[in-house]
Amino acid sequence: MLTTLSKKLCNREISAYELTKNYLEKADKLGAYLFKNVAALETAKRVDERLAKGEVLHPLAGIPIAVKDNIVTKDIPTTCASRTLENYIPPYDATVITKLKAAGLPILGKTNMDEFGMGSTGENSAFYPTKNPRDNTCVPGGSSSGSAAAVAGGLAPVALGSDTGGSCRLPAAFCGIVGFKPSYGAVSRYGLIAFASSLDQIGILSKTVSDAGLIFDVISGRDPRDMTSIDISENTEYTPKIKRFEDIEDALFDLALPAYYIISSAEASSNLARYDGVYYGSDGLFGDEVRRRIELGNFVLSAENIGEYYNKASSVRAALCRKMDELFANCDFIVMPTAPDEIPKLCQLANGSEMYEKDRFTMLANLAYLPAITLPSGVTIMAQRGRDKALLSYAREVEANGI
Amino acid sequence: MVYEAVIGLEVHAELNTKTKMYCACKNAFGGEINTRICPVCTGLPGTLPQLNREALDKAILAGRAMNCTIATKTRQYRKHYRYPDLPKGYQISQLSIPLCMDGHFDYFCGDTLKRAYIRQIHIEEDAGKLIHNGESTYVDYNRCGVPLIEIVTDPCFHSSDEAYSFLEAVRTMLLDIGISDCRMEEGSLRADVNVSLRKAGESKLSARVEMKNLATFNGARRAIDFEIARQRELLDRGETVVPITMRWDDEAGKSIFMRDKESAADYRFMPEPDIPPLKIECSSTPLPESEAERRCRLLRGLPSPQAKEIAKNLKLCEYFDSVSHIGEKVCANFLLGTVANLTNETGIPVWESYLTANKFCAIITKINSGEINTDGGKILMEKLFTADIGVEETIDKLNLKVCRDRSDYLSVVHFVLVNNEKAVNDYKAGKGNAIGFLVGQCMRSMSRGADANLFREILEEVLECL
């Protein structure tokens, strides 16, 4: 879709200004956006002017993009859908935003999400819930609920999300679009408001795999400001040798979900320690789910409990990584379901372990630092860390022809 | 009951890197508040640490200077606690696998060489500063993120003198290897102490009391003495020492209870996920000798007070080493006498003066050969310290050459003998000291360019004949 838009913009069939204006006009629908960025029209106008002069711009210049509200945007409110950051306007841009601006993509606005990334349904925003455009009675999935709904509902051609345990891929599956989580480190986390630092990655919600690949090319790359960022492999060769998840089921995977929640809560309790009321709102303004995770995190890191919980979870994680290395030594890709069962209805899931179960498959990729992509059919494909480009290639194949 | 004091120290030193530990803000002292800050060091949401390699290299130098094992891989940890000067709600520090471990550091306590055992040295970031103004408190984040090393010793000191001497030696070491400006009044060097008492001869450690907020080395000494006395009193009364943390009030001369160890905050240490484990390549840049090493070496040729004085300052010792082949004792005498006075007067150290090592040596050589006398040497040093002039030309200009014309000497001798009858009679009466007086009188009459020994010789000859 982006390629088509790009051609039309270059041929001056449509203007970036009109394109951006149309999206902005629809932005109030579905509870997808928390902030509409009217200044995007200026960016779009400038792209049109430069194209009129015959300048050769980045192929994606003028294509508007929606950004999840946990990615820092200079002078534009960034709230993580939390009352704590209700009035927070960052003084700097995330690295990915700097890259998008340099390529000339107007930032349409900031999308709704589960508060601080904690939630799998999109019902944990402190402000208002997001609707699933595919089925109004169902949840859109979370935590990148707004980004997924916006792309699925035609309110943005493409969107950035973030993925800590499945937060791009689950809503992509629920809304029927593509959700891509790059390898850990492939995209700079500088400017991504941290939930769980060793699990978070900025991801992409899009209509097609090719679109995800185009945006990935803009935002990926090692960043000196992010010491965990890596260079990914340029190698796009694969046989393909596929393994299905049912065939590799292992008792280890049963330990992975509790390990994921222990590690992510521990890191969340640490990352949210700064909301003490001095600079911005205090932790008195957190929602219940956030509070729950922080308490869990404090518990598993406490001196009496760290051995039993956090350290054990770290060992499980290390074992899981070794297991995935073994598997990928003998295959290119692993195919698996995204969600364990039906898309939940609105208000169906209570918070807590019932909801946590939804991440059962998706969080494996986060724990093991792997790239993973979800297709509109609901299937997820994973690859070895660093093989993002090969994964995107194969995913394009599967999108067109099935597995 | 005889007790043995057991003392351990934790020394924090700010590194003199160009920028802060995890961001590009300038590392400096003072200035307007909140002007050297950025999103990273103020812990704004979304920011990440970017390690300052210069800080790592300087910390490694400290580890090498203290004979530590330098880790090949080291990990950062988050240490969580809540305080307004700590914007992230945690400090990035180290826990297991610190940068440097298991070292030792030799230092002099009085005239005795002692060995301190270093448990570890690790890197961490400093917090901001709270400014109290009447009812309100403000935070200045300029200091937030400044690189620190923390030197943790074993409980290997047994007196406040030892602790004080060690702190002085550490300060000298940090200045010598050039990694900190060690200004305690600016907070770039701080110490916490741990003090416990046990019955003399026992090997087990007893409950220890931690003292914080020691702003000067003398304050540390006083705090330790106070605490030893306080604990001795308790133990003599049959009470037990409770492990607590105290704050030292130097003005009041006593310690104030801060918190007990049981209710001490659980820091919930967690490996820092934003910084991968660091692979360390240990440099092999040559390090200067430590102060103790210099002093031991100098003691082979100099008396203890002189060895101590020269060893104290690396640059002075280097200067001494470049001239001492001429004669250690004579060089030491001049450096610590005439030259030290010149430095006091002018504020210029000898290695920054015009008195180069070559000129210094030339002057001493001429004194040794008798070409000029000691007073002449002193005058030469004074002149050549503050002006870029030559030795020979100044000797000529000021007529400093010792003359040894016997007839000149004889005239002076006769003049002095005539005017000092009492001394002559004393000498004749057998008072040997009188000749010294007479030599002095002769020298005064011909102070420049006079040879005291020659005067003595001639005086003795003449007096014989009287």
Side-chain angles (χ1 to χ4, degrees):
Chain A
M1 176 197 185
L2 295 188
T3 322
T4 315
L5 278 178
S6 173
K7 276 211 194 82
K8 289 190 175 164
L9 283 168
C10 280
N11 295 338
R12 322 282 308 291
E13 275 177 59
I14 52 172
S15 74
Y17 185 88
E18 281 303 312
L19 191 60
T20 305
K21 184 155 161 281
N22 288 339
Y23 281 118
L24 283 173
E25 276 165 4
K26 292 186 274 184
D28 292 323
K29 301 205 170 97
L30 298 175
Y33 282 90
L34 290 174
F35 184 83
K36 275 184 307 194
N37 183 27
V38 182
L41 292 168
E42 272 307 307
T43 312
K45 207 193 283 183
R46 269 185 268 116
V47 169
D48 287 329
E49 282 165 11
R50 293 175 71 190
L51 285 173
K53 285 204 214 117
E55 276 186 58
V56 176
L57 303 179
H58 190 282
L60 298 181
I63 295 181
I65 183 167
V67 172
K68 185 174 181 181
D69 206 21
N70 61 356
I71 295 171
V72 158
T73 41
K74 184 163 187 263
D75 301 335
I76 295 175
T78 303
T79 69
C80 294
S82 177
R83 295 246 170 251
T84 305
L85 291 178
E86 198 171 359
N87 300 310
Y88 179 60
I89 301 181
Y92 75 104
D93 272 330
T95 298
V96 295
I97 300 296
T98 306
K99 290 184 172 191
L100 289 171
K101 281 184 176 174
L105 284 84
I107 311 288
L108 272 176
K110 309 304 289 298
T111 57
N112 207 351
M113 51 185 282
D114 285 310
E115 188 179 3
F116 280 109
M118 301 177 199
S120 307
T121 61
E123 293 170 303
N124 275 329
S125 165
F127 301 118
Y128 39 83
T130 304
K131 294 207 184 82
N132 185 334
R134 224 162 90 165
D135 179 347
N136 269 355
T137 66
C138 290
V139 299
S143 62
S144 308
S145 39
S147 285
V151 171
L155 310 181
V158 70
L160 290 188
S162 73
D163 193 311
T164 304
S167 295
C168 272
R169 293 165 284 147
L170 205 59
F174 287 3
C175 293
I177 56 172
V178 171
F180 173 49
K181 181 198 93 67
S183 298
Y184 182 80
V187 176
S188 170
R189 287 184 301 116
Y190 187 79
L192 171 65
I193 297 181
F195 158 11
S197 314
S198 73
L199 298 158
D200 294 342
Q201 263 297 272
I202 292 176
I204 301 160
L205 288 306
S206 60
K207 278 263 155 77
T208 67
V209 175
S210 157
D211 288 353
L214 288 169
I215 297 293
F216 181 64
D217 284 339
V218 178
I219 62 172
S220 59
R222 195 191 264 257
D223 180 6
R225 289 186 195 264
D226 177 356
M227 290 184 79
T228 61
S229 67
I230 60 169
D231 293 313
I232 54 167
S233 168
E234 292 299 319
N235 181 338
T236 52
E237 283 172 24
Y238 53 85
T239 330
K241 273 186 81 182
I242 316 296
K243 278 208 167 82
R244 289 183 177 275
F245 191 68
E246 310 87 82
D247 301 332
I248 57 172
E249 277 269 26
D250 192 315
L252 186 55
F253 296 141
D254 290 334
L255 292 174
L257 187 61
Y260 165 77
Y261 271 97
I262 288 169
I263 293 171
S264 62
S265 301
E267 293 184 358
S269 73
S270 174
N271 287 321
L272 271 61
R274 69 194 65 199
Y275 301 108
D276 55 6
V278 175
Y279 239 68
Y280 9 64
S282 75
D283 52 10
L285 298 170
F286 288 152
D288 284 343
E289 184 56 32
V290 173
R291 235 185 265 272
R292 185 174 296 122
R293 307 264 185 123
I294 290 176
E295 273 189 46
L296 179 57
N298 286 335
F299 179 85
V300 301
L301 285 178
S302 66
E304 318 87 76
N305 297 310
I306 190 171
E308 228 358 76
Y309 293 94
Y310 181 81
N311 290 343
K312 281 212 175 137
S314 299
S315 302
V316 169
R317 185 177 193 178
L320 181 72
C321 288
R322 285 193 294 272
K323 172 86 189 166
M324 301 316 287
D325 280 343
E326 272 171 47
L327 290 170
F328 282 117
N330 294 318
C331 75
D332 294 301
F333 309 111
I334 294 174
V335 172
M336 56 202 294
T338 311
D341 38 44
E342 309 281 296
I343 304 174
K345 300 281 179 199
L346 288 168
C347 305
Q348 174 190 345
L349 285 182
N351 276 320
S353 40
E354 219 191 345
M355 182 173 61
Y356 298 168
E357 269 290 314
K358 299 298 162 207
D359 293 338
R360 202 157 81 77
F361 297 123
T362 48
M363 57 89 212
L364 286 171
N366 303 83
L367 273 182
Y369 310 97
L370 308 173
I373 188 164
T374 296
L375 299 180
S377 59
V379 75
T380 286
I381 312 169
M382 281 197 307
Q384 176 59 291
R385 187 178 185 191
R387 299 215 68 208
D388 302 60
K389 296 207 170 164
L391 175 63
L392 287 164
S393 254
Y394 177 62
R396 260 197 300 277
E397 233 188 85
V398 174
E399 184 185 41
N401 309 322
I403 297 194
Chain B
M1 181 61 66
V2 181
Y3 298 106
E4 181 189 37
V6 179
I7 302 158
L9 297 172
E10 285 161 23
V11 184
H12 289 85
E14 283 181 5
L15 300 177
N16 60 1
T17 53
K18 283 193 283 292
T19 56
K20 291 185 177 181
M21 191 75 194
Y22 293 113
C23 66
C25 289
K26 209 159 147 249
N27 177 9
F29 178 79
E32 231 188 290
I33 64 169
N34 288 321
T35 49
R36 291 188 300 274
I37 59 173
C38 75
V40 176
C41 56
T42 48
L44 290 192
T47 52
L48 296 172
Q50 194 181 348
L51 182 70
N52 180 342
R53 287 272 149 187
E54 190 192 353
L56 199 61
D57 291 339
K58 289 191 163 168
I60 291 171
L61 282 180
R64 288 176 57 213
M66 297 186 112
N67 302 292
C68 294
T69 308
I70 311 294
T72 45
K73 243 189 178 179
T74 191
R75 261 243 84 152
Q76 309 306 111
Y77 276 76
R78 292 187 184 179
K79 180 180 180 183
H80 300 86
Y81 63 93
R82 278 260 176 113
Y83 209 62
D85 66 4
L86 197 68
K88 295 194 293 290
Y90 58 84
Q91 178 197 35
I92 301 179
S93 178
Q94 296 198 279
L95 185 70
S96 35
I97 332 176
L99 186 61
C100 319
M101 288 206 293
D102 298 333
H104 62 267
F105 189 66
D106 292 343
Y107 66 100
F108 274 87
C109 182
D111 286 333
T112 320
L113 183 64
K114 303 218 169 183
R115 174 158 290 193
Y117 291 95
I118 310 299
R119 185 164 291 171
Q120 66 177 62
I121 302 178
H122 63 258
I123 48 174
E124 53 186 35
E125 47 171 359
D126 213 344
K129 219 188 302 195
L130 294 185
I131 301 169
H132 305 284
N133 188 353
E135 291 276 299
S136 322
T137 301
Y138 300 87
V139 198
D140 177 12
Y141 292 113
N142 280 351
R143 197 182 65 180
C144 210
V146 165
L148 294 175
I149 49 168
E150 181 174 340
I151 302 169
V152 183
T153 73
D154 277 348
C156 58
F157 308 102
H158 300 290
S159 70
S160 60
D161 278 341
E162 283 185 5
Y164 181 92
S165 304
F166 172 78
L167 289 172
E168 287 269 299
V170 168
R171 183 172 183 278
T172 302
M173 179 271 289
L174 293 172
L175 288 169
D176 285 351
I177 64 178
I179 67 170
S180 176
D181 62 23
C182 296
R183 301 218 182 101
M184 286 198 88
E185 68 282 8
E186 286 179 5
S188 54
L189 194 60
R190 300 163 232 159
D192 293 338
V193 307
N194 292 289
V195 180
S196 72
L197 244 46
R198 64 182 172 200
K199 294 207 185 88
E202 252 185 47
S203 55
K204 231 174 61 142
L205 291 173
S206 318
R208 61 185 166 95
V209 170
E210 182 187 14
M211 314 249 276
K212 298 181 95 69
N213 190 44
L214 305 170
T216 61
F217 291 158
N218 276 318
R221 194 212 287 273
R222 286 190 279 272
I224 293 170
D225 286 336
F226 175 90
E227 188 52 28
I228 291 174
R230 186 186 77 88
Q231 290 190 22
R232 180 183 298 125
E233 227 187 297
L234 277 176
L235 292 174
D236 279 343
R237 286 209 299 269
E239 295 176 35
T240 46
V241 174
V242 183
I244 51 178
T245 301
M246 311 268 251
R247 202 171 57 81
W248 173 249
D249 183 340
D250 204 34
E251 259 187 58
K254 63 186 193 4
S255 53
I256 300 162
F257 174 80
M258 233 174 111
R259 56 177 185 252
D260 56 59
K261 293 272 178 198
E262 271 85 58
S263 69
D266 176 2
Y267 292 121
R268 300 192 324 278
F269 280 98
M270 182 183 88
E272 171 55 82
D274 292 331
I275 302 175
L278 303 169
K279 259 200 257 185
I280 305 294
E281 267 155 41
C282 194
S283 76
S284 49
T285 14
L287 291 175
E289 277 175 308
S290 70
E291 183 184 0
E293 282 168 344
R294 299 197 283 268
R295 186 161 160 183
C296 286
R297 178 167 60 80
L298 294 174
L299 279 170
R300 293 203 285 268
L302 290 176
S304 181
Q306 289 192 328
K308 175 177 173 184
E309 204 52 40
I310 293 175
K312 236 194 247 178
N313 187 309
L314 177 65
K315 288 230 146 51
L316 180 61
C317 189
E318 279 172 0
Y319 188 96
F320 175 80
D321 287 337
S322 65
V323 303
S324 61
H325 57 276
I326 287 295
E328 286 171 309
K329 290 208 173 68
V330 61
C331 287
N333 286 339
F334 269 101
L335 275 177
L336 297 175
T338 306
V339 173
N341 290 339
L342 288 166
T343 296
N344 285 339
E345 279 165 32
T346 61
I348 302 170
V350 64
W351 57 87
E352 284 173 22
S353 73
Y354 288 110
L355 185 61
T356 62
N358 281 340
K359 291 180 185 173
F360 184 95
C361 284
I363 295 170
I364 305 284
T365 306
K366 286 179 191 294
I367 295 173
N368 285 346
S369 72
E371 185 183 330
I372 57 177
N373 64 20
T374 311
D375 279 344
K378 283 192 188 149
I379 292 164
L380 266 177
M381 288 203 183
E382 276 167 36
K383 296 294 177 196
L384 267 59
F385 192 91
T386 47
D388 190 8
I389 47 181
V391 177
E392 299 286 351
E393 59 177 276
T394 315
I395 290 178
D396 287 339
K397 192 159 150 215
L398 299 178
N399 200 21
L400 295 176
K401 262 213 183 71
V402 171
C403 100
R404 289 196 173 77
D405 190 324
R406 284 189 76 95
S407 58
D408 284 347
Y409 276 67
L410 274 168
S411 338
V412 173
V413 162
H414 282 128
F415 172 78
V416 165
L417 290 179
V418 158
N419 289 294
N420 289 282
E421 262 190 62
K422 181 173 183 301
V424 174
N425 293 333
D426 284 347
Y427 181 76
K428 283 284 176 195
K431 286 190 184 150
N433 297 346
I435 193 145
F437 172 77
L438 289 167
V439 168
Q441 292 299 302
C442 291
M443 291 292 288
R444 280 171 67 195
S445 306
M446 199 163 96
S447 67
R448 291 183 190 181
D451 184 340
N453 289 334
L454 186 55
F455 265 127
R456 180 182 282 263
E457 204 185 289
I458 293 175
L459 272 167
E460 280 172 356
E461 278 172 29
V462 172
L463 285 166
E464 271 304 304
C465 306
L466 287 183

